[in-house]
Amino acid sequence: MNLKQLAYFMAVAEELHFGRAAERLGIAQPPLSRQIKQFEEEIGALLFNRGRSAVTLTQAGERLKERGGQIQRLVAETEREIARLGQGAEGRLRIGFVGSSTYGILPNIVKSFRAHCPQVDLSLLPMNNAQLHRQLIRREIDVAFARPALRDAEFTKIKLIDEPLVLAAPDTFAPARSGFVSLPELADETLVLYPEFPRPSYADFVLERLEAQGADTGALTRVFAMDLQTSLSLVAIGEGVCIVPASVATGARNGIRFLAFEPELGQTELSLNYRLDEQGVHVRNFARIAQSVARKIH
């Protein structure tokens, strides 16, 4: 049985008249009659009682009409569903992200994507850079918001924003100049870094920036935390200071003040990363929307 044969059968079964069925199908009656006869021989059952004055369905024909209608509806629904998936109208998208991205551009990108593709199910998965890299390789996520960008020949990167680095300090911290801090003022402070493992990570990026500005990172007292939120909690209770992207300062938090570096310590890049061989329409749509949102911010 194939779909063409089924369509011929269903037309005759619904019309109970070979002439009207042929007209409906846009073919001549003799070829239709031959097709139905061949179909009956192949399927091994008589489907129609052919009388002089009427055509009726046999018991086998009744059953096939019932099942045939179900098959045709399923095929039509499947075609519509596959077309919608191909057009990006529905499906799923798995988004991995570093915690700091939730303070800046990520929520705006997700909101815009939901507005354009409301039927796509989104999975938002927080993780560090090493986890993002590993899960992209394994195809366990589709896109990754990383800081710094993921380095792999199999990935493509879209730069979204550059942000200045700022200091998150306990509200008891008293800089020499209001609203600003210099590196020498951190000499006696405990530096909270995240994450400790796996490496390399954002912690290594921060240490590299400090060393580039002449800081002796080996002399600094360090405390490692699991993630950004844990680091900020340590800062809030006075356990140390933490260097974070400027967007983090947009989220007010009790016990913490944010200070700009003078001179500037540098900038941190947030990027969208995905596999070069990624062909999914959702990923392409998401990347396009992410770039559009980033351009508006700039």
Side-chain angles (χ1 to χ4, degrees):
M1 182 191 302
N2 58 50
L3 292 178
K4 184 177 180 180
Q5 289 174 318
L6 182 61
Y8 285 169
F9 164 77
M10 291 298 294
V12 178
E14 290 167 0
E15 298 291 344
L16 292 178
H17 191 283
F18 278 86
R20 289 194 299 269
E23 184 177 352
R24 170 174 151 183
L25 293 167
I27 62 175
Q29 180 176 334
L32 175 61
S33 297
R34 288 196 296 271
Q35 288 285 341
I36 294 297
K37 185 65 176 176
Q38 182 180 345
F39 184 35
E40 289 176 320
E41 291 173 355
E42 290 177 359
I43 206 169
L46 186 68
L47 301 173
F48 296 100
N49 295 309
R50 297 163 174 83
R52 289 185 178 181
S53 58
V55 174
T56 60
L57 287 164
T58 64
Q59 186 174 356
E62 290 282 2
R63 178 63 58 84
L64 182 58
K65 180 183 178 183
E66 177 186 343
R67 296 291 175 84
Q70 295 171 356
I71 292 169
Q72 288 184 320
R73 286 191 295 273
L74 178 60
V75 169
E77 290 170 4
T78 301
E79 288 176 344
R80 288 193 295 270
E81 182 178 344
I82 297 305
R84 288 178 62 81
L85 285 168
Q87 296 162 4
E90 60 184 57
R92 68 167 183 173
L93 186 71
R94 300 163 298 176
I95 304 168
F97 64 94
V98 292
S100 60
S101 63
T102 61
Y103 288 91
I105 196 171
L106 174 58
N108 292 330
I109 292 173
V110 170
K111 182 178 179 181
S112 181
F113 184 79
R114 284 196 184 279
H116 285 84
C117 306
Q119 300 304 315
V120 177
D121 293 329
L122 297 183
S123 298
L124 296 164
L125 308 164
M127 55 190 74
N128 59 45
N129 261 29
Q131 292 168 326
L132 290 172
H133 185 278
R134 182 168 59 251
Q135 295 212 25
L136 266 186
I137 288 288
R138 295 177 178 175
R139 301 181 188 273
E140 293 173 354
I141 58 175
D142 303 303
V143 297
F145 286 86
R147 190 194 305 274
L150 303 179
R151 297 178 181 178
D152 195 295
E154 294 185 17
F155 298 166
T156 188
K157 179 197 84 170
I158 297 175
K159 178 179 177 180
L160 298 176
I161 52 172
D162 280 320
E163 298 181 59
L165 293 168
V166 301
L167 185 73
D171 55 10
T172 55
F173 183 84
R177 182 185 171 196
S178 178
F180 294 88
V181 64
S182 63
L183 285 184
E185 292 179 272
L186 303 184
D188 297 326
E189 299 294 329
T190 297
L191 181 63
V192 180
L193 295 163
Y194 68 92
E196 182 173 12
F197 299 107
R199 306 284 281 274
S201 67
Y202 177 74
D204 298 288
F205 169 75
V206 168
L207 292 173
E208 289 170 4
R209 295 309 309 154
L210 289 171
E211 291 167 0
Q213 295 295 322
D216 182 5
T217 57
L220 291 174
T221 302
R222 309 179 193 180
V223 171
F224 281 91
M226 182 191 319
D227 52 32
L228 172 63
Q229 296 304 325
T230 306
S231 299
L232 293 177
S233 296
L234 291 175
V235 172
I237 62 174
E239 287 298 310
V241 297
C242 186
I243 296 172
V244 298
S247 59
V248 177
T250 62
R253 193 178 181 111
N254 291 336
I256 297 179
R257 65 189 308 181
F258 295 95
L259 306 166
F261 281 97
E262 191 178 65
E264 288 188 359
L265 183 58
Q267 295 190 323
T268 173
E269 176 189 284
L270 181 69
S271 64
L272 180 67
N273 303 258
Y274 56 92
R275 295 180 60 92
L276 281 170
D277 61 359
E278 177 59 62
Q279 299 297 316
V281 67
H282 302 317
V283 172
R284 296 197 300 273
N285 287 342
F286 190 82
R288 175 179 52 79
I289 289 170
Q291 288 178 298
S292 175
V293 172
R295 283 194 296 268
K296 290 177 182 178
I297 290 177
H298 290 319

